[in-house]
Amino acid sequence: MLPLLLTLVLSGTNPPPVEAWAQKACPAPKKEPDSNVEFKAALEARATCLKKAMNKSIDRVLLPLKKKDPPAFKQWMGLQADYNRWVADACAAIEEANWVDVSTGERAMGTGYGGTEQECLQRQYAWRGFYADAWARGDWKAIAAAQDAYAQQAPKRVDVLSQYQKKTQAAAAQAPAQVPPSDTPSQQLSRDDWKDYNGRLERAASGPQALAERQCALVPKADAACAGSFRASLTAQLDFTDALGATGSP
């Protein structure tokens, strides 16, 4: 069951060539988990593996630039650091959305916490690793094909996130200034809690634009569509469909 589930995790939004790269870099384990804890541990291990594989691909881009083009090397380094921060923030936002009920203003907790975040990290690291690997080989057609596939999903993801943000902003406007601590797994969110929550959602939504512009500044002979295509490849993976569905359609 685990290999199938992990395969589905990666194939949820990633185009087939990206998943093929990920499967080759980090083959799914064959042993089935005996518990939810083991399953989540396997998801985290896969995400860690893919992050390492991603970094190796990026090194193949960076090392030639270190002597050949130091300014580009520095820009790539800064971009990757900001990308890593954005991915961590965005995937955490998707996880949190599973546990926040905008209709009641409460945040819950359960044994499944963390699984969605690791799935998100797997997908993002797989795409970034594939992208850097293709870049290092000069395979711009492979990058373009993958971006075209992401572009088909991106508009719906952006729309869903926008709808969800409207609901969380409405919930924030009705939240109490202060709330007493809870003895149960559920906790009412205060205005400050909602401010932090909505701030993270906004960073998840707005981050891809700046990352795309910086990435395309490094692409040789980038065309006018570069930034839009790269932005779509990131936003296509911001899936808040379940969170919006749990709140009801607007």
Side-chain angles (χ1 to χ4, degrees):
M1 178 63 72
L2 178 57
L4 174 59
L5 288 173
L6 289 176
T7 296
L8 293 175
V9 162
L10 283 173
S11 62
T13 59
N14 285 340
V18 178
E19 172 169 352
W21 179 90
Q23 291 286 67
K24 182 178 180 181
C26 301
K30 296 179 180 179
K31 183 180 180 296
E32 294 185 11
D34 294 326
S35 66
N36 188 47
V37 173
E38 285 190 11
F39 177 64
K40 289 198 298 180
L43 289 177
E44 184 175 1
R46 188 70 180 281
T48 299
C49 177
L50 286 168
K51 185 176 184 180
K52 291 179 179 178
M54 172 192 73
N55 287 334
K56 288 181 180 178
S57 290
I58 291 171
D59 283 345
R60 288 196 288 273
V61 176
L62 288 177
L63 293 180
L65 292 175
K66 197 167 187 179
K67 291 184 178 180
K68 184 171 131 184
D69 193 345
F73 173 83
K74 186 176 181 180
Q75 290 173 45
W76 255 100
M77 290 287 288
L79 171 61
Q80 186 59 31
D82 288 342
Y83 169 85
N84 287 339
R85 281 189 284 270
W86 173 78
V87 166
D89 217 19
C91 290
I94 293 174
E95 177 64 54
E96 289 297 313
N98 289 337
W99 304 94
V100 172
D101 187 334
V102 298
S103 64
T104 64
E106 293 182 338
R107 180 184 185 278
M109 181 59 71
T111 59
Y113 188 88
T116 300
E117 181 178 7
Q118 295 304 319
E119 293 171 0
C120 172
L121 291 173
Q122 286 187 45
R123 289 191 292 267
Q124 291 284 1
Y125 292 152
W127 161 232
R128 187 64 170 163
F130 172 88
Y131 181 87
D133 179 68
W135 180 306
R137 293 183 287 104
D139 193 350
W140 304 105
K141 288 184 178 180
I143 290 175
Q147 288 180 324
D148 286 346
Y150 284 120
Q152 295 178 23
Q153 304 174 49
K156 181 178 179 181
R157 299 285 190 249
V158 171
D159 182 57
V160 167
L161 176 53
S162 177
Q163 292 180 45
Y164 181 65
Q165 284 182 284
K166 289 177 182 177
K167 288 182 174 292
T168 62
Q169 289 161 6
Q174 300 174 6
Q178 295 181 332
V179 296
S182 173
D183 295 329
T184 70
S186 295
Q187 173 69 51
Q188 189 80 21
L189 297 180
S190 68
R191 290 177 192 168
D192 285 342
D193 292 330
W194 278 110
K195 182 178 179 181
D196 291 342
Y197 186 75
N198 282 321
R200 173 174 272 175
L201 286 176
E202 180 55 31
R203 291 193 300 275
S206 63
Q209 178 63 40
L211 292 172
E213 291 173 357
R214 291 168 63 189
Q215 184 67 74
C216 288
L218 293 164
V219 173
K221 300 179 180 179
D223 60 25
C226 180
S229 295
F230 189 80
R231 181 181 67 248
S233 73
L234 302 182
T235 57
Q237 302 183 64
L238 299 181
D239 191 356
F240 286 83
T241 304
D242 289 344
L244 181 64
T247 67
S249 299

